[in-house]
Structures are given as structure tokens and as C-alpha cells.
Amino acid sequence: IAENVAEGASFCCSADAMLIRGNTAAAAISPATVSLASFSGADPYGVNDSTGPVTLAFTALASAGGGELLIPRGTYLVSAAGTAQAFHNVLSAGITVRGGGPRPSIPRRANGSNSRMLTQDTTAASDVTFKDMGFDFNGSNQTDGAARDDRDGLYIYNVTGLHFLNCAFGNGRHGAQLRLSVCDRTLVQGCHGYGMGLSSAFSCDNVFIRNSQYFRALANSVVGGTNPDTGFAQDGVIYAAVEGPQWSPPLSGGTTV
């Protein structure tokens, strides 16, 4: 497999480490590692919708009993297709979702989705890690016209041992970019939030966690937006530690990275 399939999109593993079994099968680097690159329709250029291939990749990882999902560098357009979220209860025990860095590996919410990118609300999971990923919630191109806390970003409920490492969350419309509830032993480390809120009518937290135990935020940075709310908000959290700066001065150009 070529190092670069096209400009700006490359695989994160070499040809001799991959075994591809057709267009829709997982690329098995080990029995519990799959690459999104092997699922037909995954588009790293953000032109075609990649919701289906990403869902199949999560399903393959769950069937393997956990492991790692590799997201090659690129921007992947995802949409809700008339439902409340693009991805529903796709997280399973013992998985890691790893990209090529906060900027290179980015799921981006499609224009007019008016829904969450991910909801995990009825299936409990444990030991879930997102690493080196970026999440673009594309808030300025959503059209629901109402400020609602439950319709934006990632909403994760009842996942124990949840880690976000070196990730970026950006352009949330309202509510929270990362909303967590009953998520004990959560760590958010080395992450960056930016571009929260759209106007006086739309405010947005970077991270909001409630009804959980043992929450730690370490060495994160947050650049506001048009109407940011808080960097890290808590409600009913037992044993919490937020260390390092929550708010950072704007980068060159203001509110984007």
C-alpha cells in the first residue's frame, strides 16, 4: 500500500503490516486492530459521507472483543441521516480509536445535520480511549435554529475508564462539545478546545461532566469562540482535578487552529 494515497491523506501503517480481505473487511494488523482505510466508502477528503464505513469499523472492533481502530489522516464527513446522532452506541469495552494527530484525522459533521456526532446512552462500556483525534462539529453550518443542550458534539453516558488524549474539539454550536454523564475514571489530557458558541443566543462548553467520580483534566488548552461558556464544567462530580490552563490566548487568526 502506498505511503500516500493522495495529497493530504496517508495510511498509518505499512503494507507488510496489513492484510486486506476485500473492500469491506477489516485490515488486520493484529487480531484486534482494524483500519478504517479498508472499509469501502471511507473518504479522507471530506467529500463523500463516511458515516457507514466508520460504523462498520466500530462493529468489526466490537466483534473482535476490543482493540484499536486506526483512522488514517484526513477529514471524514459524517451525518445523522435524519436521526438524533451520526453514531449511536458504537463504543464497546477495551477499544482505542487512534488517528494521526488532532489536525490530520478529523470526523467533521455534515452541513445541516442538526444532531450529535456520537451518542452512547443505553450500552455501558469500559476502558475506551480516543487518541490523536480531532472533532469538527461544524456549528456554523447547522440550521436547527434553537439553542439546545442535547444536540451537539459527543454525548457519552455510563462509560468507565474513558480517556481523551491529545485530541481537539472545535466549532461546537451550543450545549457542550464533549458531554459526559456517569463516566467514572475519566481523563482528558493534552487536548485542545476552540470555536465554541455562535452568537449571544448560542453558548457552548468545551467539556461538561456530571454525576461521575474521579475526573482529571491535565495540561489542556481552550481558545474561546464567539460565545464560549466554560472550558471544563462539572456538576455532581466526586474527586475531580483540573490542572493546567483552561483558557489560552487566541492563536494567530483568533479562534481557529
Side-chain angles (χ1 to χ4, degrees):
I1 296 175
E3 174 67 20
N4 290 288
V5 293
E7 182 180 356
S10 65
F11 292 99
C12 30
C13 35
S14 61
D16 57 1
M18 298 183 70
L19 174 62
I20 298 181
R21 302 171 181 171
N23 289 334
T24 59
I29 302 165
S30 70
T33 304
V34 299
S35 172
L36 181 62
S38 65
F39 291 83
S40 179
D43 178 12
Y45 300 103
V47 176
N48 299 310
D49 195 301
S50 295
T51 307
V54 174
T55 301
L56 290 174
F58 274 112
T59 300
L61 201 61
S63 298
E68 187 168 67
L69 170 59
L70 304 178
I71 309 291
R73 288 181 289 177
T75 297
Y76 298 86
L77 195 68
V78 299
S79 63
T83 63
Q85 57 275 314
F87 306 107
H88 192 209
N89 291 327
V90 296
L91 304 182
S92 55
I95 69 169
T96 294
V97 181
R98 179 164 65 86
R103 297 179 191 179
S105 299
I106 303 172
R108 185 175 192 266
R109 195 165 53 152
N111 294 353
S113 290
N114 304 321
S115 61
R116 297 179 188 137
M117 182 178 288
L118 179 148
T119 299
Q120 185 84 14
D121 60 353
T122 59
T123 303
S126 60
D127 300 320
V128 173
T129 298
F130 291 88
K131 184 177 182 180
D132 300 330
M133 289 292 298
F135 300 90
D136 181 0
F137 302 120
N138 191 21
S140 61
N141 290 306
Q142 306 307 309
T143 57
D144 60 349
R148 293 184 54 178
D149 285 347
D150 63 347
R151 191 179 287 174
D152 209 35
L154 312 179
Y155 172 69
I156 300 176
Y157 173 82
N158 199 18
V159 173
T160 301
L162 178 64
H163 303 119
F164 287 89
L165 309 176
N166 193 34
C167 292
F169 312 99
N171 301 316
R173 182 175 175 85
H174 45 70
Q177 300 194 122
L178 176 59
R179 177 177 290 270
L180 310 173
S181 182
V182 194
C183 289
D184 295 342
R185 294 192 295 112
T186 291
L187 172 65
V188 180
Q189 181 172 345
C191 295
H192 182 67
Y194 65 96
M196 297 100 70
L198 295 178
S199 68
S200 59
F202 296 93
S203 63
C204 186
D205 294 314
N206 182 43
V207 177
F208 177 75
I209 182 169
R210 65 190 303 268
N211 299 340
S212 303
Q213 298 185 71
Y214 306 108
F215 169 65
R216 188 177 187 188
L218 176 64
N220 301 286
S221 63
V222 181
V223 176
T226 301
N227 188 15
D229 200 342
T230 63
F232 291 86
Q234 305 172 47
D235 180 14
V237 177
I238 302 174
Y239 308 117
V242 178
E243 305 171 42
Q246 288 195 41
W247 294 100
S248 299
L251 303 177
S252 177
T255 60
T256 60
V257 296

